[in-house]
Amino acid sequence: MINEYRILAINPGSTSTKFAVYYNEECKLNRTLRHSIDELSSYKSILKQFDYRKGMIIDALMEEGFEVDSLKYIIGRGGLTYPLESGVYLVDNLMLKHASEGIYGQHASNLGPLIADFIANQIPGAKAYIADPVVTDELDEIARITGHPAFEKRSIFHALNQKATARLHAKKLGAAYESLNLIVAHLGGGISVGAHKKGRVVDVNNGLDGDGPFSPERSGGLPTGQMIDWCFDSQMTKSDVRRMVLGEGGYVAYLKTNNAKEVEELARLGNEKARLIQDAMGYQVAKTIGEMAVVLNGNVDGILLTGGVAYNQYLTDFIEKKVGFLAQVFVYPGEDELDALAHNALRVARNETQAKRYNPKMP
């Protein structure tokens, strides 16, 4: 008799909360709860959104008639704790503390372990996990050097989706992920572009802190001198500046919306400003892909475009025209993050892997 393992996967993102219920590999429910700028702006911090997002998930499960007590494996997206090697981790109090504090910054992914732990605690025998968190760190040492010893590059990126997409691509080729050199660009509310060298992400832009392309709601890399002057002259607080960079940059700053589909439609209908800003984002993504090709010494087996914004064919075609000379471009629109989370939980349930303890290297 085949055991049936029931899994709840939770992925809080910058503009949405996604969750899904799996019975083994079969997805029984997949929901995306969208959050507008107006809804999120009423909360002064990511942590303040906990009750709002958690409540929406529980309400939706109840509305769908799911027997919540049957869900024994609750797995959330990992947040901005201290750096970790890739893998599955059991949520514990230290992880919750570090996720709540936002050790490396404030992002919706910090709510992943918090929501998973809360729900697991309501269910007898359930446990909470995370997998391939955003702080997955496989950087080459040379990639950590920034130009000043007071600063070191941090590995913060869409590790879960980038890894899942790269493994999916390798499987379609009939190859091992560890045998390929790939460039993976995650295009979503935030954008990260990683150089995957034989199964390790040896370099990647830290889109959360402002490295790399701008995105629907992040400013990306800004001119340093102008940024210094602006910070000192604007009379804004540290939290104001961080919010400008992380939640009110990119499309939000230029076009007053974080909705990439809305911008796509405006551009299609002839709005010249929307077209220019959309093209500029694609331009910056293409430039970053070029940087990662240098990291791989030009030995690139494929360029993968993924994430929700990759549904925009105009944008992916724009990027492909810029970088197609480097390697063949493959488009995997959407995110495989819920599937990846559920798969990792199932591997634990079937004893195919052991959940690791959260024991990060702390400064």
Side-chain angles (χ1 to χ4, degrees):
M1 179 179 176
I2 299 176
N3 289 327
E4 182 178 74
Y5 300 105
R6 300 190 176 191
I7 300 162
L8 173 62
I10 302 166
N11 179 14
S14 55
T15 59
S16 66
T17 300
K18 301 177 181 179
F19 72 94
V21 175
Y22 292 80
Y23 292 1
N24 291 349
E25 291 89 351
E26 184 179 0
C27 183
K28 294 290 188 177
L29 173 68
N30 189 313
R31 292 282 298 273
T32 298
L33 309 173
R34 301 288 181 187
H35 312 304
S36 69
I37 296 174
D38 289 340
E39 287 175 318
L40 297 182
S41 63
S42 63
Y43 300 96
K44 293 185 178 180
S45 70
I46 295 292
L47 194 61
K48 296 291 185 182
Q49 298 173 18
F50 171 75
D51 286 331
Y52 163 66
R53 297 203 192 213
K54 172 257 295 179
M56 291 184 74
I57 293 173
I58 295 173
D59 288 347
L61 286 170
M62 299 296 288
E63 288 171 6
E64 294 289 342
F66 274 91
E67 187 181 347
V68 178
D69 282 358
S70 70
L71 304 172
K72 302 300 184 183
Y73 296 86
I74 319 298
I75 185 164
R77 184 181 179 191
L80 294 168
T81 59
Y82 285 107
L84 297 167
E85 62 182 21
S86 62
V88 184
Y89 289 83
L90 188 68
V91 176
D92 62 16
N93 289 335
L94 183 60
M95 181 189 295
L96 295 173
K97 178 177 183 294
H98 289 167
S100 298
E101 293 171 352
I103 296 298
Y104 273 6
Q106 292 297 330
H107 183 263
S109 60
N110 291 352
L111 296 173
L114 299 177
I115 295 174
D117 179 74
F118 178 89
I119 294 176
N121 282 334
Q122 313 308 307
I123 302 171
K127 291 185 178 180
Y129 305 88
I130 64 165
D132 288 339
V134 293
V135 289
T136 295
D137 188 346
E138 301 169 332
L139 294 184
D140 282 344
E141 288 307 304
I142 196 170
R144 301 183 190 279
I145 306 302
T146 62
H148 193 287
F151 308 95
E152 181 178 89
K153 185 173 183 177
R154 295 171 175 173
S155 179
I156 302 176
F157 70 109
H158 304 88
L160 188 63
N161 188 45
Q162 284 208 25
K163 289 275 187 178
T165 302
R167 291 191 179 104
L168 173 63
H169 180 72
K171 184 177 181 180
K172 287 190 173 183
L173 295 180
Y177 167 53
E178 293 76 14
S179 70
L180 300 173
N181 285 342
L182 302 169
I183 298 172
V184 184
H186 174 101
L187 312 177
I191 291 175
S192 62
V193 183
H196 295 236
K197 182 178 182 180
K198 311 299 184 186
R200 295 176 59 247
V201 183
V202 297
D203 202 349
V204 63
N205 69 290
N206 179 346
L208 183 64
D209 277 354
D211 179 24
F214 73 80
S215 73
E217 58 179 30
R218 297 180 193 169
S219 296
L222 297 171
T224 305
Q226 293 180 49
M227 183 67 171
I228 292 170
D229 291 340
W230 187 87
C231 287
F232 278 91
D233 295 342
S234 66
Q235 304 299 313
M236 297 180 75
T237 66
K238 179 180 177 180
S239 61
D240 289 335
V241 175
R242 184 165 291 277
R243 186 169 58 252
M244 180 272 288
V245 170
L246 300 186
E248 298 175 357
Y251 282 0
V252 174
Y254 285 108
L255 302 168
K256 310 305 179 187
T257 180
N258 64 355
N259 190 325
K261 289 185 178 180
E262 181 181 336
V263 174
E264 177 186 2
E265 183 65 10
L266 286 171
R268 188 186 68 80
L269 294 174
N271 185 307
E272 292 300 322
K273 183 176 182 181
R275 172 59 57 85
L276 175 62
I277 300 305
Q278 180 179 252
D279 286 358
M281 187 175 76
Y283 176 81
Q284 292 194 7
V285 170
K287 286 204 301 180
T288 308
I289 288 172
E291 292 178 15
M292 295 306 159
V294 171
V295 171
L296 298 173
N297 297 320
N299 180 17
V300 184
D301 296 311
I303 298 168
L304 316 183
L305 306 180
T306 184
V309 180
Y311 281 110
N312 182 341
Q313 186 175 350
Y314 171 87
L315 184 64
T316 57
D317 286 348
F318 181 96
I319 295 170
E320 183 174 5
K321 288 175 184 176
K322 293 285 186 185
V323 303
F325 72 96
L326 296 169
Q328 187 173 356
V329 176
F330 302 86
V331 181
Y332 293 92
E335 300 174 2
D336 291 317
E337 292 179 332
L338 291 173
D339 279 343
L341 287 169
H343 175 71
N344 278 294
L346 192 57
R347 290 172 61 218
V348 172
R350 290 174 171 168
N351 292 317
E352 296 172 1
T353 189
Q354 293 293 316
K356 300 176 181 179
R357 291 287 178 179
Y358 178 70
N359 186 27
K361 293 181 180 179
M362 294 182 285

